[in-house]
Amino acid sequence: MYKLAAVVAEAPHILHLTFTDGAAVTADVSSLLSGGGVFAPLEDSAFFRRVAVGARGRSLGWPGELDLDADSFRPETYGNMPPEFPLSDFVPPQTANPVSQKLRQAVEASGEAQAVIAQRAGMRQQALSRLIDPYYEGHSLATLTRLADALGMELRVELVPKEKRAS
């Protein structure tokens, strides 16, 4: 069971997904649109860009209960079967940025939607999604301070001596 940390939509029908274990993948979900059906609203690029990570990270979805399981975007889950969606640019799990991890934990612990927190911090939900991406490295103190305020928290920066390695 894989959990999503972030998802960003790109036209036409491309999703960039980042998982909590650091894996990342780009997926073409245009096959969902063949024959219309329940996913027909995704034809609208503005609606498509409203994709968000589900409440527990186990899915991604759009308004109106259109959702997809996170596992369907991981090559490891396919075995000998062809992928459900064409996947490209797969990045295997890596060590996550601890700032992103702490920020993601605070956002999840708040119980609020990313869009609500982002609005209070004066940014778009997509920007917050990028900041909690485990591999994002561009956090600024000013942005982290705004997010801490939006979450009703205090930001603390601490410098501590490095642990000495045994020789």
Side-chain angles (χ1 to χ4, degrees):
M1 291 182 20
Y2 298 100
K3 291 181 78 174
L4 286 166
V7 61
V8 177
E10 179 183 296
H13 308 108
I14 302 295
L15 296 173
H16 301 284
L17 301 102
T18 306
F19 292 84
T20 57
D21 67 357
V25 68
T26 300
D28 179 348
V29 296
S30 58
S31 62
L32 291 174
L33 307 174
S34 61
V38 69
F39 289 104
L42 300 182
E43 289 279 5
D44 178 340
S45 62
F47 184 80
F48 184 75
R49 286 191 303 272
R50 293 177 63 189
V51 67
V53 174
R56 292 180 287 287
R58 292 285 305 124
S59 65
L60 59 93
W62 294 265
E65 298 187 26
L66 298 176
D67 60 355
L68 299 168
D69 189 320
D71 288 352
S72 62
F73 295 94
R74 290 295 290 253
E76 304 97 293
T77 63
Y78 294 136
N80 292 329
M81 297 173 52
E84 192 170 340
F85 308 106
L87 304 176
S88 63
D89 303 327
F90 181 73
V91 176
Q94 301 173 7
T95 304
N97 179 337
V99 174
S100 296
Q101 286 182 308
K102 290 283 190 184
L103 185 56
R104 181 177 46 79
Q105 290 167 355
V107 168
E108 289 175 357
S110 77
E112 294 183 289
Q114 286 183 20
V116 172
I117 296 165
Q119 184 177 20
R120 277 201 309 267
M123 65 180 62
R124 296 178 61 200
Q125 182 273 329
Q126 292 88 341
L128 177 54
S129 183
R130 182 177 58 249
L131 291 166
I132 64 174
D133 179 315
Y135 302 107
Y136 184 72
E137 297 285 340
H139 303 90
S140 72
L141 284 176
T143 299
L144 291 172
T145 300
R146 287 188 0 238
L147 281 168
D149 288 342
L151 289 162
M153 301 178 89
E154 179 181 327
L155 177 67
R156 294 182 184 172
V157 177
E158 184 177 339
L159 295 174
V160 295
K162 290 183 179 181
E163 293 181 19
K164 294 185 180 186
R165 298 180 186 182
S167 346

